[in-house]
Amino acid sequence: MSTSGDASTQNSARNFSLISIVSNVTLDSTNYNDWMCNVKMALRYEGNVYVLEKQLVEIDEATATPKEIASYKKYYDDTNNVACIRVATMIPELQKFYEENWPFEMNLDLVEKFHKRDHQEKYEVVKAFMACKLKEGEFVCNHVQRMQRYMERLESLNVNFDEALAIDMVFNSLPRCYDKFILAYHLNKA
């Protein structure tokens, strides 16, 4: 049998664990994607991702229904919690700038500031990925692992491609001496 004190302790432990996970990455203007991934994961777990996508709009409590008031209060509380978590996981300079912002507005501003960096990083990773070739004397396994790291980084930047394209990219990176292997692979796959 669970008491309300036990439930409160469990909820506090869960929130502490969540915050410790989110705080593993502190936003410092160079790691927006990693930070945002951690924050979204925590918010998804809490069911609060919606506060990043929808602006908090004041209601007139005098004309609102009890259901609208309850919904607004829950949204307000969720928004406040998300704002605290996001600001707490930033470096002090960013904290000072964003401490009075609600998550929706904060999100718009951060996306605008870091969008160019995301695009630049995608370009850099794609460029390196496309230029990746098996070096003479290098083990194929090491080469494929390096290419896999490029693919994983692109996926973390929201660049998605299917398995067949990934395999073709790896095959394209191999020297001509692997042409028979590639042909055999395609013939057996068909």
Side-chain angles (χ1 to χ4, degrees), residues 69-190:
I69 293 171
S71 177
Y72 173 79
K73 286 183 179 180
K74 180 185 179 338
Y75 187 83
Y76 181 90
D77 290 343
D78 289 348
T79 300
N80 192 46
N81 290 340
V82 170
C84 291
I85 289 171
R86 292 185 93 196
V87 172
T89 58
M90 295 177 175
I91 60 171
E93 294 79 17
L94 291 172
Q95 286 177 340
K96 290 174 190 166
F97 187 79
Y98 288 108
E99 67 186 344
E100 298 299 323
N101 290 71
W102 287 109
F104 179 79
E105 291 81 11
M106 187 187 312
N107 204 45
L108 290 177
D109 192 61
L110 288 168
V111 166
E112 184 179 314
K113 283 182 179 173
F114 296 109
H115 177 72
K116 290 180 183 173
R117 290 189 186 132
D118 286 352
H119 182 72
Q120 183 65 29
E121 185 176 358
K122 285 177 190 175
Y123 171 75
E124 298 288 332
V125 175
V126 166
K127 184 178 171 182
F129 184 50
M130 298 293 289
C132 192
K133 300 290 181 193
L134 179 66
K135 297 173 183 103
E136 190 174 325
E138 180 182 18
F139 290 112
V140 174
C141 182
N142 293 346
H143 171 69
V144 171
Q145 288 173 341
R146 183 173 65 243
M147 293 199 74
Q148 184 176 3
R149 286 190 298 275
Y150 285 131
M151 287 182 251
E152 289 167 355
R153 186 62 194 146
L154 287 170
E155 286 176 354
S156 75
L157 293 168
N158 296 320
V159 176
N160 298 312
F161 41 89
D162 63 18
E163 183 180 328
L165 178 59
I167 290 170
D168 288 342
M169 295 293 292
V170 171
F171 285 163
N172 185 58
S173 72
L174 299 175
R176 295 194 61 105
C177 63
Y178 285 88
D179 284 353
K180 287 182 182 176
F181 168 77
I182 295 168
L183 179 62
Y185 174 84
H186 286 296
L187 289 174
N188 287 327
K189 197 75 169 158

